[in-house]
Amino acid sequence: MKEFNISMDSIRGVLITHDHADHIKAVGHLGEKLHIPIYTTARVHEGINRSYCVTEKLYSCVRHIEKEVPVQLGDFRIEAFEVPHDGTDNVGYCIEIAKQTFSFLTDLGEITELAARYISRANYLILESNYDEEMLRMGSYPAYLKQRITSRTGHLSNRVASEFLAENIPPHLKYIWLCHLSKDNNHPELAYKTMEWQLRLKGIIVGKDIQLLALKRNTPSELYELK
């Protein structure tokens, strides 16, 4: 945000997907010190305050939300929905503004019928493409961790994410951002090429029919102005 000269004061709210450490480490500071409203389900809130990695617990700044019950935040209509993962509670988000719909799904082991329904509404889709199956299989992770990642409450592989979208791509979808790529079991180029290839097999050309970007772990993307 500093790179693009965006003030922290401009943040209207923070939406929490689940209570795993890599998603909530700084949320106490954002809420209690910077007084930014934190939107989360009651169960995720409980998980955050139990977490060993959250040194600043959440109290006054929390706004509890319920799954599939829309909330209004300024011009944004926000709806959380259940996704399968192994946190205390787990949601994706569907965000509508000015007749445009963003669907955000990260940390999910499979695309359920409910998740597919929210994907189908999207003009802009942020979707997990966590690992390459062969890299994970041949990699150094212990067997129990590999099993967790590939389970129905784990993560989406490049193959599963790309095959699903190739078969079910909404006609009004404009952009796909691939997110939550593994440091050890994926590469942005590999996630991109897997998705590009599967879409091409269905006659959908990246750069012409749809835009695609694989987001890097530690580098900000470009700033998008969506109209």
Side-chain angles (χ1 to χ4, degrees):
M1 291 180 66
K2 187 181 290 185
E3 212 171 273
F4 291 110
N5 197 31
I6 300 171
S7 167
M8 294 293 281
D9 294 336
S10 67
I11 301 177
R12 303 289 297 278
V14 174
L15 310 178
I16 305 299
T17 58
H18 63 297
D19 64 351
H20 283 168
D22 55 329
H23 292 258
I24 60 168
K25 287 178 187 175
V27 70
H29 185 81
L30 293 174
E32 299 302 317
K33 294 295 191 296
L34 300 183
H35 308 293
I36 299 170
I38 308 297
Y39 291 83
T40 180
T41 69
R43 289 183 62 210
V44 171
H45 181 204
E46 292 169 5
I48 290 170
N49 280 358
R50 284 196 308 265
S51 177
Y52 70 92
C53 74
V54 178
T55 55
E56 297 174 274
K57 306 303 182 183
L58 284 175
Y59 298 107
S60 61
C61 60
V62 178
R63 308 288 186 270
H64 285 162
I65 57 176
E66 296 182 24
K67 296 170 191 171
E68 299 182 67
V69 177
V71 296
Q72 201 71 28
L73 177 57
D75 294 332
F76 294 91
R77 180 186 183 274
I78 300 165
E79 193 169 338
F81 56 92
E82 175 80 25
V83 296
H85 193 53
D86 57 4
T88 301
D89 198 12
N90 315 276
V91 300
Y93 285 98
C94 185
I95 304 167
E96 297 177 3
I97 182 171
K99 298 183 180 180
Q100 300 296 316
T101 300
F102 297 77
S103 291
F104 183 95
L105 300 92
T106 183
D107 294 68
L108 67 164
E110 63 177 343
I111 298 175
T112 60
E113 183 178 338
L114 179 63
R117 196 159 76 231
Y118 283 94
I119 290 173
S120 72
R121 291 166 55 176
N123 305 114
Y124 302 93
L125 175 64
I126 303 96
L127 180 66
E128 175 172 76
S129 190
N130 181 257
Y131 66 96
D132 173 76
E133 292 173 357
E134 187 66 10
M135 286 183 70
L136 179 64
R137 187 178 71 83
M138 299 297 293
S140 61
Y141 281 15
Y144 81 89
L145 185 52
K146 291 180 180 180
Q147 185 175 1
R148 174 191 169 246
I149 290 168
T150 58
S151 75
R152 290 185 172 183
T153 55
H155 293 280
L156 286 187
S157 69
N158 294 342
R159 179 187 63 81
V160 170
S162 61
E163 287 182 355
F164 175 85
L165 276 187
E167 292 290 342
N168 301 279
I169 194 159
H172 44 267
L173 187 63
K174 302 174 184 178
Y175 260 89
I176 304 166
W177 289 274
L178 304 177
C179 73
H180 209 271
L181 276 63
S182 169
K183 176 172 66 73
D184 300 310
N185 302 303
N186 211 351
H187 295 296
E189 297 81 5
L190 183 54
Y192 181 98
K193 288 296 183 184
T194 304
M195 180 66 73
E196 181 185 41
W197 174 249
Q198 289 294 337
L199 292 176
R200 182 178 288 272
L201 290 177
K202 295 295 181 179
I204 303 161
I205 308 304
V206 169
K208 177 187 175 186
D209 302 317
I210 199 161
Q211 303 302 316
L212 173 67
L213 183 72
L215 297 171
K216 298 178 181 178
R217 289 177 59 86
N218 300 311
T219 306
S221 71
E222 298 175 22
L223 189 64
Y224 292 86
E225 184 176 347
L226 306 176
K227 299 179 180 179

mmCIF file of all heavy atoms in Angstrom, residues 5 9 18 25 33 40 47 56 69 72 83-84 94 96 116-117 121 125 163 167 169 181 194 197 203-204 217:
data_model
loop_
_atom_site.group_PDB
_atom_site.id
_atom_site.type_symbol
_atom_site.label_atom_id
_atom_site.label_comp_id
_atom_site.label_asym_id
_atom_site.label_seq_id
_atom_site.Cartn_x
_atom_site.Cartn_y
_atom_site.Cartn_z
ATOM 1 N N ASN A 5 1.168 4.514 -2.517
ATOM 2 C CA ASN A 5 0.755 5.730 -1.822
ATOM 3 C C ASN A 5 -0.711 5.665 -1.386
ATOM 4 O O ASN A 5 -1.474 6.617 -1.531
ATOM 5 C CB ASN A 5 0.998 6.965 -2.705
ATOM 6 C CG ASN A 5 0.983 8.257 -1.903
ATOM 7 O OD1 ASN A 5 1.360 8.269 -0.726
ATOM 8 N ND2 ASN A 5 0.551 9.335 -2.526
ATOM 9 N N ASP A 9 -5.582 4.673 6.400
ATOM 10 C CA ASP A 9 -6.856 5.273 6.798
ATOM 11 C C ASP A 9 -7.966 5.007 5.793
ATOM 12 O O ASP A 9 -9.149 5.163 6.102
ATOM 13 C CB ASP A 9 -6.699 6.791 6.974
ATOM 14 C CG ASP A 9 -5.790 7.146 8.137
ATOM 15 O OD1 ASP A 9 -5.659 6.302 9.043
ATOM 16 O OD2 ASP A 9 -5.230 8.249 8.143
ATOM 17 N N HIS A 18 -10.250 -17.409 7.685
ATOM 18 C CA HIS A 18 -10.154 -18.490 8.673
ATOM 19 C C HIS A 18 -9.030 -18.164 9.648
ATOM 20 O O HIS A 18 -8.370 -17.126 9.517
ATOM 21 C CB HIS A 18 -9.933 -19.848 7.998
ATOM 22 C CG HIS A 18 -8.658 -19.969 7.222
ATOM 23 N ND1 HIS A 18 -8.378 -19.193 6.123
ATOM 24 C CD2 HIS A 18 -7.583 -20.795 7.372
ATOM 25 C CE1 HIS A 18 -7.187 -19.521 5.639
ATOM 26 N NE2 HIS A 18 -6.682 -20.488 6.389
ATOM 27 N N LYS A 25 -1.920 -13.274 11.661
ATOM 28 C CA LYS A 25 -0.865 -12.822 12.576
ATOM 29 C C LYS A 25 -1.007 -11.360 12.988
ATOM 30 O O LYS A 25 -0.809 -11.014 14.145
ATOM 31 C CB LYS A 25 0.502 -13.016 11.914
ATOM 32 C CG LYS A 25 0.970 -14.443 11.833
ATOM 33 C CD LYS A 25 2.311 -14.509 11.127
ATOM 34 C CE LYS A 25 2.735 -15.949 10.880
ATOM 35 N NZ LYS A 25 3.976 -15.997 10.092
ATOM 36 N N LYS A 33 -5.196 -1.516 17.282
ATOM 37 C CA LYS A 33 -4.310 -0.351 17.271
ATOM 38 C C LYS A 33 -4.678 0.654 16.181
ATOM 39 O O LYS A 33 -4.600 1.858 16.385
ATOM 40 C CB LYS A 33 -2.852 -0.805 17.084
ATOM 41 C CG LYS A 33 -2.300 -1.610 18.243
ATOM 42 C CD LYS A 33 -2.213 -0.767 19.518
ATOM 43 C CE LYS A 33 -1.431 -1.459 20.621
ATOM 44 N NZ LYS A 33 -2.081 -2.699 21.094
ATOM 45 N N THR A 40 -15.631 -11.060 10.544
ATOM 46 C CA THR A 40 -15.342 -12.481 10.676
ATOM 47 C C THR A 40 -16.540 -13.189 11.304
ATOM 48 O O THR A 40 -17.365 -12.552 11.962
ATOM 49 C CB THR A 40 -14.079 -12.693 11.540
ATOM 50 O OG1 THR A 40 -13.814 -14.078 11.667
ATOM 51 C CG2 THR A 40 -14.239 -12.108 12.920
ATOM 52 N N GLY A 47 -11.412 -18.535 17.333
ATOM 53 C CA GLY A 47 -10.155 -19.177 16.947
ATOM 54 C C GLY A 47 -8.993 -18.209 16.926
ATOM 55 O O GLY A 47 -7.873 -18.556 17.319
ATOM 56 N N GLU A 56 -1.846 -9.689 19.915
ATOM 57 C CA GLU A 56 -2.841 -8.661 20.201
ATOM 58 C C GLU A 56 -4.214 -9.236 19.863
ATOM 59 O O GLU A 56 -4.536 -9.429 18.692
ATOM 60 C CB GLU A 56 -2.559 -7.406 19.384
ATOM 61 C CG GLU A 56 -1.225 -6.757 19.726
ATOM 62 C CD GLU A 56 -0.905 -5.599 18.789
ATOM 63 O OE1 GLU A 56 -0.349 -5.841 17.711
ATOM 64 O OE2 GLU A 56 -1.230 -4.452 19.164
ATOM 65 N N VAL A 69 -25.368 -14.510 4.696
ATOM 66 C CA VAL A 69 -26.202 -13.380 5.126
ATOM 67 C C VAL A 69 -25.456 -12.100 4.719
ATOM 68 O O VAL A 69 -24.433 -11.758 5.322
ATOM 69 C CB VAL A 69 -26.449 -13.391 6.645
ATOM 70 C CG1 VAL A 69 -27.267 -12.166 7.054
ATOM 71 C CG2 VAL A 69 -27.146 -14.678 7.065
ATOM 72 N N GLN A 72 -23.699 -4.873 4.412
ATOM 73 C CA GLN A 72 -23.385 -3.712 3.591
ATOM 74 C C GLN A 72 -22.254 -2.933 4.247
ATOM 75 O O GLN A 72 -22.306 -2.605 5.430
ATOM 76 C CB GLN A 72 -24.620 -2.820 3.444
ATOM 77 C CG GLN A 72 -24.575 -1.893 2.248
ATOM 78 C CD GLN A 72 -24.741 -2.613 0.913
ATOM 79 O OE1 GLN A 72 -25.377 -3.661 0.841
ATOM 80 N NE2 GLN A 72 -24.174 -2.056 -0.135
ATOM 81 N N VAL A 83 -16.492 -22.738 2.899
ATOM 82 C CA VAL A 83 -15.578 -23.512 2.057
ATOM 83 C C VAL A 83 -14.938 -24.606 2.915
ATOM 84 O O VAL A 83 -14.775 -24.437 4.125
ATOM 85 C CB VAL A 83 -14.490 -22.628 1.407
ATOM 86 C CG1 VAL A 83 -15.093 -21.616 0.441
ATOM 87 C CG2 VAL A 83 -13.636 -21.926 2.450
ATOM 88 N N PRO A 84 -14.572 -25.745 2.302
ATOM 89 C CA PRO A 84 -14.016 -26.858 3.074
ATOM 90 C C PRO A 84 -12.518 -26.710 3.324
ATOM 91 O O PRO A 84 -11.709 -26.777 2.404
ATOM 92 C CB PRO A 84 -14.308 -28.074 2.178
ATOM 93 C CG PRO A 84 -14.327 -27.521 0.793
ATOM 94 C CD PRO A 84 -14.835 -26.122 0.900
ATOM 95 N N CYS A 94 -17.934 -13.191 -1.369
ATOM 96 C CA CYS A 94 -18.485 -12.651 -2.612
ATOM 97 C C CYS A 94 -18.782 -11.179 -2.351
ATOM 98 O O CYS A 94 -19.508 -10.851 -1.409
ATOM 99 C CB CYS A 94 -19.746 -13.415 -2.994
ATOM 100 S SG CYS A 94 -20.442 -12.936 -4.595
ATOM 101 N N GLU A 96 -19.924 -7.456 -4.002
ATOM 102 C CA GLU A 96 -20.571 -6.790 -5.125
ATOM 103 C C GLU A 96 -20.474 -5.282 -4.954
ATOM 104 O O GLU A 96 -20.687 -4.754 -3.862
ATOM 105 C CB GLU A 96 -22.049 -7.192 -5.214
ATOM 106 C CG GLU A 96 -22.257 -8.679 -5.476
ATOM 107 C CD GLU A 96 -23.727 -9.060 -5.488
ATOM 108 O OE1 GLU A 96 -24.582 -8.149 -5.352
ATOM 109 O OE2 GLU A 96 -24.014 -10.258 -5.638
ATOM 110 N N ALA A 116 -19.021 -23.454 -5.995
ATOM 111 C CA ALA A 116 -19.217 -23.310 -7.438
ATOM 112 C C ALA A 116 -20.284 -22.267 -7.750
ATOM 113 O O ALA A 116 -20.180 -21.521 -8.736
ATOM 114 C CB ALA A 116 -19.599 -24.658 -8.044
ATOM 115 N N ARG A 117 -21.292 -22.200 -6.904
ATOM 116 C CA ARG A 117 -22.371 -21.231 -7.116
ATOM 117 C C ARG A 117 -21.845 -19.801 -7.016
ATOM 118 O O ARG A 117 -22.236 -18.935 -7.802
ATOM 119 C CB ARG A 117 -23.474 -21.473 -6.097
ATOM 120 C CG ARG A 117 -24.770 -20.793 -6.460
ATOM 121 C CD ARG A 117 -25.951 -21.442 -5.764
ATOM 122 N NE ARG A 117 -26.048 -21.071 -4.362
ATOM 123 C CZ ARG A 117 -26.175 -21.934 -3.368
ATOM 124 N NH1 ARG A 117 -26.183 -23.222 -3.608
ATOM 125 N NH2 ARG A 117 -26.283 -21.511 -2.129
ATOM 126 N N ARG A 121 -21.033 -16.566 -10.161
ATOM 127 C CA ARG A 121 -21.529 -15.187 -10.121
ATOM 128 C C ARG A 121 -20.450 -14.162 -10.467
ATOM 129 O O ARG A 121 -20.746 -12.984 -10.683
ATOM 130 C CB ARG A 121 -22.084 -14.873 -8.721
ATOM 131 C CG ARG A 121 -23.348 -15.627 -8.399
ATOM 132 C CD ARG A 121 -23.713 -15.594 -6.920
ATOM 133 N NE ARG A 121 -23.817 -14.255 -6.362
ATOM 134 C CZ ARG A 121 -24.202 -13.993 -5.109
ATOM 135 N NH1 ARG A 121 -24.545 -14.999 -4.314
ATOM 136 N NH2 ARG A 121 -24.267 -12.764 -4.667
ATOM 137 N N LEU A 125 -12.457 -13.117 -10.343
ATOM 138 C CA LEU A 125 -12.316 -14.292 -9.489
ATOM 139 C C LEU A 125 -10.895 -14.408 -8.957
ATOM 140 O O LEU A 125 -9.923 -14.401 -9.725
ATOM 141 C CB LEU A 125 -12.657 -15.552 -10.294
ATOM 142 C CG LEU A 125 -12.460 -16.890 -9.589
ATOM 143 C CD1 LEU A 125 -13.397 -17.031 -8.383
ATOM 144 C CD2 LEU A 125 -12.667 -18.054 -10.559
ATOM 145 N N GLU A 163 -8.998 -27.417 -14.178
ATOM 146 C CA GLU A 163 -10.000 -28.273 -14.805
ATOM 147 C C GLU A 163 -11.415 -27.817 -14.452
ATOM 148 O O GLU A 163 -12.310 -27.836 -15.305
ATOM 149 C CB GLU A 163 -9.791 -29.730 -14.392
ATOM 150 C CG GLU A 163 -8.567 -30.368 -15.045
ATOM 151 C CD GLU A 163 -8.396 -31.827 -14.666
ATOM 152 O OE1 GLU A 163 -9.185 -32.322 -13.817
ATOM 153 O OE2 GLU A 163 -7.484 -32.473 -15.203
ATOM 154 N N GLU A 167 -14.174 -26.254 -17.303
ATOM 155 C CA GLU A 167 -15.485 -26.877 -17.505
ATOM 156 C C GLU A 167 -16.644 -25.973 -17.101
ATOM 157 O O GLU A 167 -17.770 -26.147 -17.574
ATOM 158 C CB GLU A 167 -15.577 -28.180 -16.696
ATOM 159 C CG GLU A 167 -14.676 -29.289 -17.198
ATOM 160 C CD GLU A 167 -15.141 -29.861 -18.533
ATOM 161 O OE1 GLU A 167 -16.317 -29.641 -18.895
ATOM 162 O OE2 GLU A 167 -14.317 -30.519 -19.199
ATOM 163 N N ILE A 169 -16.532 -22.249 -16.606
ATOM 164 C CA ILE A 169 -16.199 -20.824 -16.589
ATOM 165 C C ILE A 169 -17.448 -19.973 -16.868
ATOM 166 O O ILE A 169 -18.189 -20.226 -17.812
ATOM 167 C CB ILE A 169 -15.074 -20.513 -17.589
ATOM 168 C CG1 ILE A 169 -14.488 -19.132 -17.324
ATOM 169 C CG2 ILE A 169 -15.546 -20.661 -19.035
ATOM 170 C CD1 ILE A 169 -13.101 -18.962 -17.885
ATOM 171 N N LEU A 181 -0.264 -19.542 -3.713
ATOM 172 C CA LEU A 181 0.651 -20.507 -4.298
ATOM 173 C C LEU A 181 1.682 -20.955 -3.270
ATOM 174 O O LEU A 181 2.249 -20.133 -2.550
ATOM 175 C CB LEU A 181 1.370 -19.899 -5.505
ATOM 176 C CG LEU A 181 0.629 -19.944 -6.845
ATOM 177 C CD1 LEU A 181 -0.663 -19.154 -6.820
ATOM 178 C CD2 LEU A 181 1.540 -19.442 -7.952
ATOM 179 N N THR A 194 -0.632 -24.050 -16.395
ATOM 180 C CA THR A 194 -1.624 -25.109 -16.211
ATOM 181 C C THR A 194 -3.020 -24.588 -16.490
ATOM 182 O O THR A 194 -3.810 -25.229 -17.196
ATOM 183 C CB THR A 194 -1.547 -25.687 -14.782
ATOM 184 O OG1 THR A 194 -0.214 -26.144 -14.532
ATOM 185 C CG2 THR A 194 -2.518 -26.845 -14.615
ATOM 186 N N TRP A 197 -3.463 -23.653 -20.286
ATOM 187 C CA TRP A 197 -3.592 -24.832 -21.140
ATOM 188 C C TRP A 197 -4.992 -25.430 -21.046
ATOM 189 O O TRP A 197 -5.611 -25.762 -22.067
ATOM 190 C CB TRP A 197 -2.542 -25.861 -20.764
ATOM 191 C CG TRP A 197 -2.684 -27.176 -21.485
ATOM 192 C CD1 TRP A 197 -3.040 -28.374 -20.972
ATOM 193 C CD2 TRP A 197 -2.468 -27.406 -22.887
ATOM 194 N NE1 TRP A 197 -3.078 -29.350 -21.935
ATOM 195 C CE2 TRP A 197 -2.718 -28.782 -23.121
ATOM 196 C CE3 TRP A 197 -2.091 -26.592 -23.949
ATOM 197 C CZ2 TRP A 197 -2.611 -29.356 -24.391
ATOM 198 C CZ3 TRP A 197 -1.976 -27.160 -25.225
ATOM 199 C CH2 TRP A 197 -2.238 -28.517 -25.427
ATOM 200 N N GLY A 203 -11.206 -23.924 -25.818
ATOM 201 C CA GLY A 203 -11.372 -22.835 -26.766
ATOM 202 C C GLY A 203 -11.376 -21.460 -26.146
ATOM 203 O O GLY A 203 -11.785 -20.489 -26.795
ATOM 204 N N ILE A 204 -10.914 -21.331 -24.900
ATOM 205 C CA ILE A 204 -10.878 -20.041 -24.200
ATOM 206 C C ILE A 204 -9.440 -19.539 -24.213
ATOM 207 O O ILE A 204 -8.537 -20.191 -23.666
ATOM 208 C CB ILE A 204 -11.380 -20.189 -22.756
ATOM 209 C CG1 ILE A 204 -12.806 -20.768 -22.747
ATOM 210 C CG2 ILE A 204 -11.335 -18.852 -22.025
ATOM 211 C CD1 ILE A 204 -13.211 -21.365 -21.427
ATOM 212 N N ARG A 217 3.959 -14.668 -4.069
ATOM 213 C CA ARG A 217 3.773 -14.727 -2.614
ATOM 214 C C ARG A 217 4.171 -13.428 -1.919
ATOM 215 O O ARG A 217 3.480 -12.977 -1.006
ATOM 216 C CB ARG A 217 4.601 -15.877 -2.031
ATOM 217 C CG ARG A 217 4.069 -17.257 -2.362
ATOM 218 C CD ARG A 217 4.994 -18.319 -1.805
ATOM 219 N NE ARG A 217 5.152 -18.222 -0.373
ATOM 220 C CZ ARG A 217 4.350 -18.782 0.527
ATOM 221 N NH1 ARG A 217 3.313 -19.489 0.124
ATOM 222 N NH2 ARG A 217 4.574 -18.653 1.819
#
